[in-house]
Amino acid sequence: MVDINEFANKAKGSFDETFADPARKAGMKFVEGGSNLGLRMLDQAESNTREAFAAMRQVAEAKDLSQVMKIQGDFIREQSNRSVTQAREIGELIMKFGRDVVSPEKSE
């Protein structure tokens, strides 16, 4: 005769091992990846703000309009380069984040 409790425990263990544990691990990776992504975006925003204020200080100290135009042109060029680099970094983080969440755990 089959013991229903033993059968239920085996089924639960099998379910946990097959579905629940990988789902739990994927959920943790999701939270961790989202947190890393958010922190990186905040770092970038802080850097951009710092650079903008530095340029504003230079403009305030400029002696004439030609210096202001040069400072503005330099800032726009540098910000454009920063934006491309930052977009690439965020894209790479998002791709890594997606791979980490959907990739199966390696057996040890």
Side-chain angles (χ1 to χ4, degrees):
M1 187 160 157
V2 175
D3 181 6
I4 192 74
N5 289 329
E6 182 180 333
F7 178 76
N9 286 336
K10 284 182 182 178
K12 182 190 176 309
S14 178
F15 177 83
D16 284 349
E17 189 176 301
T18 304
F19 299 107
D21 290 341
R24 192 174 303 111
K25 288 176 184 174
M28 292 303 295
K29 286 180 185 179
F30 184 81
V31 169
E32 182 181 307
S35 178
N36 290 340
L37 182 61
L39 288 173
R40 186 64 196 132
M41 291 173 75
L42 285 172
D43 288 343
Q44 290 179 353
E46 180 181 354
S47 173
N48 291 341
T49 302
R50 207 174 18 256
E51 293 298 327
F53 276 102
M56 285 190 282
R57 279 189 206 94
Q58 289 177 350
V59 166
E61 296 171 358
K63 304 291 183 220
D64 58 32
L65 185 59
S66 66
Q67 282 184 324
V68 171
M69 298 302 288
K70 181 182 179 333
I71 293 165
Q72 183 179 13
D74 291 346
F75 174 77
I76 290 170
R77 188 173 30 264
E78 291 167 5
Q79 183 58 41
S80 177
N81 291 335
R82 271 192 302 277
S83 293
V84 169
T85 300
Q86 291 170 349
R88 186 176 300 123
E89 287 176 359
I90 295 300
E92 289 170 358
L93 278 173
I94 289 170
M95 288 189 314
K96 181 183 181 313
F97 173 56
R99 281 191 304 268
D100 287 349
V101 170
V102 298
S103 66
E105 278 290 311
K106 295 189 177 176
S107 299
E108 297 179 59

